[in-house]
Amino acid sequence: MNDVAVRVEGLGKKFRLYHERNQSLKSAIMRRKIAEYEDFWALRDVSFEVPTGSTFALIGSNGSGKSTLLKCLARILWPDEGEITSHGRVASLLEVGSGFHPELSGRENIYLNGSILGMSRKEVDRKFDDIVDFSEIGKFIDQPVKSYSSGMYVRLGFSVAIHVQPDVLVVDEILAVGDAAFQEKSRAKFDELHDQGKTVILVSHSMGTVLEMCDQAAWIEKGSLQSVGPVKDVAADYTYSVFPLAPELADAYDDARKKELGWPASPIHPIAAHGGGVVQGFQRGALCWSSHAGSFSVKEPIRSFFNAVGGIEELGWPLEDAQVSTDGAVAQRFQRGTIDIPPNGIPRLAPVN
Ligand SMILES: Nc1ncnc2c1ncn2[C@@H]1O[C@H](COP(=O)(O)OP(=O)(O)OP(=O)(O)O)[C@@H](O)[C@H]1O
């Protein structure tokens, strides 16, 4: 077996950006001039290898070129420079409804999509019931797919793609369209593929999902590769670029704290009251700097706090580390009140009058 599932070498993909809004031949003739355009390189000089059996994430900000790269990997787009070599059967699930014909039924689309992804009719016949079962489309299978919800589209598309039994599965963010139960089911399917030594390449904006599911990653920005390697390193590089450290916190963020708190997971929140300060959420806690107390770290529960109230306006910054009792309850004192989180419960905020 090959150690490398996909090799990308010097990849470049350009698009034409037209300066005239209307690009039809008729309008060009009417205006007696050919539409002007410029070349825009969505990807340039991108090279990396995806190890066989890895779950590989592509990360980067909006418009950085992730989907374009996935489309090149799935052979939906053809590169203008460089090349992609892949080993084994590649199946992809990119845009909602891609590979489906809206007027055809779910049943007909399973055959259509299956053949696009390289399955024979006999193979689809054999797997048909499993595909329908996994998709949970049930009695709607003979309805035209144009009447399906986007979640139903994705469930059917994903079900066909995994039943191709690909060596490499290429998936864009669209799985997030499915409901919680289906997302859980697709996660389990990814684990199964991983256990079978299959390779999955996916795009996700959720750093939690990426860290949980993937072992390798590549970070792309403005069409060029920034870093590639173990997911933790790449995710750290990326998040530092998105959420730089507050200058006040930089000194406090030594190696020990880095280990304890992880990398930045939120922008810097300024605190106006009581002489001012800043607080910033990290992967496993928060760092706080106040003009009174200098800087100190707060562990996990502050994240629940951030989520619960959407900010630190009400209670101010934390005055102590969270106190965790044996039954899992959490209590933490803040500048203007306290927060209590019962085991598996909703945080209660108790502002001081
Ligand atoms: N068909 C196209 N014609 C012209 N420009 C395009 C085309 N497809 C993509 N682009 C441009 O290429 C760049 C990269 O787009 P792409 O969709 O790959 O980004 P992305 O990283 O997937 O973004 P997002 O996170 O927002 O989904 C963008 O600037 C986009 O406008």
Side-chain angles (χ1 to χ4, degrees):
M1 196 175 68
N2 220 301
D3 290 348
V4 175
V6 179
R7 176 172 288 118
V8 177
E9 287 171 288
L11 186 73
K13 176 71 203 166
K14 66 179 175 189
F15 294 112
R16 282 182 176 182
L17 296 185
Y18 286 88
H19 295 307
E20 313 285 341
R21 267 161 55 107
N22 195 337
Q23 301 158 26
S24 74
L25 182 61
K26 185 177 162 197
S27 67
I29 292 169
M30 299 284 283
R31 281 197 318 272
R32 290 168 189 274
K33 80 180 206 196
I34 295 167
E36 286 171 13
Y37 64 84
E38 64 176 287
D39 282 337
F40 167 74
W41 288 90
L43 293 170
R44 200 87 200 254
D45 200 20
V46 173
S47 303
F48 62 91
E49 290 176 350
V50 180
T52 302
S54 61
T55 305
F56 192 99
L58 293 177
I59 57 180
S61 47
N62 287 136
S64 55
K66 303 177 297 295
S67 300
T68 305
L69 177 52
L70 280 194
K71 284 179 191 157
C72 291
L73 295 174
R75 315 264 177 213
I76 291 169
L77 286 178
W78 209 249
D80 294 292
E81 286 178 356
E83 60 181 349
I84 297 174
T85 328
S86 42
H87 298 279
R89 206 182 223 188
V90 180
S92 60
L93 185 63
L94 301 183
E95 279 149 16
V96 173
S98 62
F100 281 175
H101 191 298
E103 301 293 339
L104 299 180
S105 67
R107 181 185 297 274
E108 291 161 329
N109 267 299
I110 290 177
Y111 282 93
L112 173 69
N113 201 224
S115 78
I116 293 173
L117 294 175
M119 282 199 276
S120 66
R121 190 173 178 90
K122 267 199 183 143
E123 200 177 344
V124 181
D125 281 343
R126 233 181 330 111
K127 294 175 178 169
F128 185 83
D129 290 344
D130 289 343
I131 295 174
V132 178
D133 281 354
F134 188 88
S135 72
E136 298 173 26
I137 296 293
K139 62 183 180 186
F140 297 100
I141 197 65
D142 288 311
Q143 295 294 315
V145 299
K146 67 179 179 190
S147 67
Y148 285 11
S149 69
S150 48
M152 287 162 82
Y153 259 108
V154 168
R155 279 174 3 215
L156 193 58
F158 185 61
S159 185
V160 177
I162 52 166
H163 283 87
V164 170
Q165 285 178 319
D167 298 295
V168 181
L169 179 63
V170 177
V171 200
D172 209 341
E173 187 116 59
I174 56 169
L175 279 184
V177 173
D179 59 22
F182 189 76
Q183 281 185 31
E184 196 56 44
K185 209 163 122 178
S186 17
R187 288 276 180 99
K189 203 70 205 178
F190 283 132
D191 289 346
E192 202 182 303
L193 289 173
H194 186 73
D195 293 345
Q196 293 165 356
K198 308 290 187 193
T199 309
V200 176
I201 305 175
L202 57 90
V203 163
S204 177
H205 283 285
S206 154
M207 212 39 72
T209 304
V210 167
L211 288 166
E212 207 180 304
M213 291 182 59
C214 302
D215 40 37
Q216 299 279 313
W219 167 29
I220 295 172
E221 217 50 74
K222 291 191 182 140
S224 53
L225 186 73
Q226 307 296 308
S227 68
V228 60
V231 69
K232 281 198 171 154
D233 299 342
V234 179
D237 291 346
Y238 172 59
T239 45
Y240 274 116
S241 84
V242 179
F243 303 125
L245 283 178
E248 297 90 334
L249 294 175
D251 284 347
Y253 202 57
D254 56 21
D255 283 350
R257 283 236 177 83
K258 245 183 219 170
K259 212 166 170 186
E260 183 184 308
L261 293 178
W263 54 82
S266 87
I268 301 149
H269 296 274
I271 308 166
H274 300 271
V278 292
V279 63
Q280 181 167 28
F282 287 79
Q283 200 196 356
R284 289 184 290 275
L287 261 188
C288 197
W289 179 87
S290 83
S291 59
H292 298 312
S295 60
F296 54 98
S297 60
V298 189
K299 299 196 193 80
E300 184 58 38
I302 187 134
R303 286 163 69 84
S304 321
F305 170 71
F306 273 126
N307 293 343
V309 297
I312 51 164
E313 297 309 317
E314 200 172 339
L315 295 182
W317 59 79
L319 296 177
E320 61 181 10
D321 274 0
Q323 313 294 312
V324 184
S325 67
T326 45
D327 65 354
V330 174
Q332 189 166 15
R333 234 160 34 87
F334 290 82
Q335 193 200 4
R336 290 190 288 275
T338 57
I339 176 166
D340 291 297
I341 310 173
N344 307 321
I346 300 166
R348 276 195 307 269
L349 310 178
V352 172
N353 290 326

